[in-house]
Amino acid sequence: MQETTSIVPRLVVAAPQGRSGKTTLTLGVCAALSRRGLQVQPFKKGPDFIDPSWLSAAAGRACRSLDPYFLEADTVQHGKQRLRVALFRGSRDADVTVIEGNHGLYDDSHGDGAGSTAAVARALGAPVLLVINAARMARSAAAMVLGYVQFEPDTHIAGVILNNVAHPRHAASLSRAIRNSCDIPVVGALPRAANLSIPDRHLGLVPPGEDEALMPAIEACRQAVEQNVALDTILEIARQAGALHLSSESRPPQPPTPKEAGLASIVIGVFRDQAFSFYYPENLEALQYAGADLVFIDSLNEPHLPAVDGLYIGGGFPEVFMEKLEANGSLRREVHRAAQAGLPVYAECGGLMYLSRAIHWQNRPAGLPGQTHRTSAQMAGVLPVDVALYDRPQGHGYVLAETRWKNPLFPAGSRLRGHEFHHSRLVDLDPHLPAAYHLTKGKGLGDGRDGLVYRNVLASYTHLHAHGAPDWAACFVAAARGSSGPGAWE
């Protein structure tokens, strides 16, 4: 087996538990290093959309996903190689790569740590910065750090960042205790500050693209890091990461591009705006590689559907902008007519909601942008269902799906890995309405089903990632061509 190596300066930002301040610290580091003129490539561990949107804004470079579940392989070693290849491909031309972990450092959905942030750091040979919420803590912080260092000793915790320190004496006392007990340097101490909090709501943080007034939060994080964190030390830690070893077996040869194969490009429209912003850059790139030219459509303001061969409606917050979506009736009607005429449409979560008859939200929170205190709004009416919003999640976590029923994209027996996080569910759902996916993990539509099928429409609560559904883009493009591609059914 041939092996190549690559040196990618890199580090992982992690924490003992959620809400410790790792997103604040990662945003500030990305923004501060970018301001120095460095090309910073952010990654987010896990199936997130909103944190990556903030990291993309801070770094000026699209944040990418690193998720062991999506990259799971037949062997542990192959899975590690897939993680390294994903990091290598996403970090091309970058000066430094910053990976934000999720949950606690050693937490994962299996309970054995195989999919934890620590496991990702070890697979990538990346040092870890541990962010500690130091509020109401003194010498006990050293015991916490020592426990994290010793729990899995091959996880390289290279530095500690203190968050929520009360005053300089507090920071000095904590730093001394950690240095004396653990021999781990404290490379920064962020003070308590209200302007370092990032707005959130029912699905997590508010995406920065929804409101330009949110952008000062990134500036505040940058200034806090520049004033309170040893950036040069952090860069040195990242540059001490060893070479990445990439086996040729983990990088199968790529098929010829459609242009190389003599095929004409096709056009796929993508709803991309304040209401629909949940797209992995890897998915968009996969569509382009499969031969698609992408046309982005503002569903809130663009009155007409452009000439497209397929339509991709990702996730987002259509419920927040439902009045504006309803007001753009000409686009809704044109999407309806196009779907009736057989246009291939792929929709996820928020896109599924847009294709419904209407959205109903009984306990709508106050203060949402554009809110007129209405609780219902008409949507495109492609699917014969309504959508109801609830206060609590109706589906949250990883999804494992298999296609068992006829659909416009995937062949029978396709196994797909994705995730879901939705506060809505479908009402008046006809149990005989065709659904493409049988779920062995996840909630979806309920009753082990997901992926409603209507003509050439496939709409699901499941979000797919190109890593967990490698044939998705080729299947979608083949459907848009109207050809008997890999997604065609006999």
Side-chain angles (χ1 to χ4, degrees):
M1 178 179 66
Q2 292 183 339
E3 190 175 82
T4 59
T5 59
S6 173
I7 303 230
V8 180
R10 58 200 181 277
L11 58 85
V12 171
V13 179
Q17 74 271 350
R19 297 190 177 271
S20 294
K22 62 180 180 294
T23 298
T24 297
L25 188 279
T26 310
L27 285 174
V29 167
C30 288
L33 293 179
S34 296
R35 194 174 189 227
R36 289 188 174 190
L38 297 176
Q39 287 290 319
V40 181
Q41 176 57 54
F43 283 86
K44 174 68 180 184
K45 187 266 177 185
D48 199 353
F49 290 108
I50 302 178
D51 281 7
S53 70
W54 282 91
L55 292 169
S56 298
R61 187 167 165 137
C63 180
R64 307 172 80 87
S65 172
L66 282 175
D67 194 309
Y69 181 74
F70 295 153
L71 290 162
E72 191 164 304
D74 51 353
T75 67
V76 173
Q77 187 59 34
H78 189 199
K80 291 180 179 179
Q81 284 291 327
R82 294 191 71 194
L83 277 169
R84 293 169 188 169
V85 170
L87 180 87
F88 170 71
R89 288 179 176 169
S91 299
R92 287 173 181 166
D93 304 321
D95 298 306
V96 62
T97 290
V98 180
I99 305 156
E100 183 189 347
N102 70 342
H103 305 301
L105 176 61
Y106 296 114
D107 298 335
D108 70 352
S109 59
H110 300 296
D112 60 3
S116 68
T117 296
V120 169
R122 292 194 300 272
L124 299 175
V128 175
L129 289 180
L130 190 66
V131 181
I132 300 289
N133 184 353
R136 298 183 178 86
M137 189 178 290
R139 187 169 175 263
S140 295
M144 176 184 288
V145 175
L146 182 62
Y148 275 78
V149 169
Q150 294 181 346
F151 186 71
E152 291 180 351
D154 50 347
T155 301
H156 180 204
I157 298 177
V160 172
I161 303 283
L162 303 172
N163 188 34
N164 280 327
V165 299
H167 43 68
R169 293 193 311 278
H170 185 205
S173 174
L174 291 165
S175 300
R176 184 167 53 253
I178 292 170
R179 184 174 60 252
N180 291 342
S181 302
C182 314
D183 197 27
I184 301 286
V186 174
V187 298
L190 298 179
R192 296 175 188 168
N195 66 341
L196 296 183
S197 62
I198 300 171
D200 60 8
R201 59 163 174 248
H202 58 289
L203 291 187
L205 301 180
V206 177
E210 283 191 18
D211 187 349
E212 290 299 319
L214 299 176
M215 297 308 289
I218 294 177
E219 179 66 10
C221 293
R222 179 189 65 78
Q223 291 180 5
V225 164
E226 288 180 340
Q227 295 167 9
N228 300 285
V229 173
L231 275 173
D232 289 333
T233 302
I234 287 178
L235 270 176
E236 183 59 30
I237 289 172
R239 288 168 178 161
Q240 289 175 358
L244 276 175
H245 299 283
L246 308 171
S247 68
S248 57
E249 288 184 0
S250 66
R251 295 184 292 170
Q254 295 285 2
T257 65
K259 185 175 181 180
E260 292 169 342
L263 298 174
S265 293
I266 56 95
V267 178
I268 290 181
V270 182
F271 276 21
R272 199 175 193 186
D273 47 51
Q274 291 174 301
F276 301 99
S277 60
F278 291 0
Y279 297 96
Y280 293 115
E282 297 91 335
N283 285 20
L284 300 178
E285 291 165 4
L287 289 173
Q288 291 172 317
Y289 188 84
D293 291 330
L294 303 184
V295 174
F296 296 111
I297 302 166
D298 183 343
S299 65
L300 301 172
N301 300 301
E302 193 163 336
H304 300 294
L305 183 68
V308 296
D309 302 297
L311 182 60
Y312 180 12
I313 311 178
F317 293 105
E319 68 272 25
V320 175
F321 299 94
M322 62 187 194
E323 289 96 346
K324 293 189 70 174
L325 290 169
E326 182 185 61
N328 192 358
S330 59
L331 181 62
R332 289 189 293 109
R333 289 188 292 270
E334 291 186 15
V335 169
H336 181 96
R337 287 196 294 267
Q340 292 288 341
L343 181 74
V345 180
Y346 175 73
E348 293 181 340
C349 199
L352 165 64
M353 297 168 69
Y354 181 83
L355 295 178
S356 73
R357 291 180 301 219
I359 294 175
H360 307 284
W361 195 344
Q362 295 303 316
N363 299 312
R364 194 174 188 193
L368 296 174
Q371 181 176 347
T372 57
H373 303 291
R374 289 180 51 198
T375 57
S376 296
Q378 298 300 306
M379 292 292 111
V382 173
L383 301 172
V385 296
D386 283 17
V387 173
L389 266 293
Y390 297 87
D391 294 334
R392 299 180 64 82
Q394 303 299 300
H396 183 201
Y398 287 115
V399 173
L400 182 60
E402 181 180 345
T403 54
R404 293 189 181 175
W405 296 278
K406 186 175 181 179
N407 69 90
L409 263 67
F410 298 105
S414 296
R415 291 175 64 83
L416 310 170
R417 291 175 177 269
H419 75 100
E420 62 180 337
F421 190 6
H422 51 98
H423 280 242
S424 72
R425 68 170 180 251
L426 304 187
V427 293
D428 300 326
L429 176 61
D430 182 348
H432 302 293
L433 194 66
Y437 304 156
H438 169 73
L439 303 186
T440 54
K441 182 194 294 282
K443 183 70 177 292
L445 303 170
D447 298 323
R449 302 194 312 152
D450 202 6
L452 290 181
V453 177
Y454 176 76
R455 296 185 184 268
N456 285 326
V457 175
L458 176 57
S460 71
Y461 273 120
T462 299
H463 295 276
L464 295 179
H465 189 287
H467 291 158
D471 295 329
W472 165 79
C475 290
F476 190 14
V477 170
R481 287 187 190 282
S483 64
S484 55
W489 285 67
E490 298 293 339

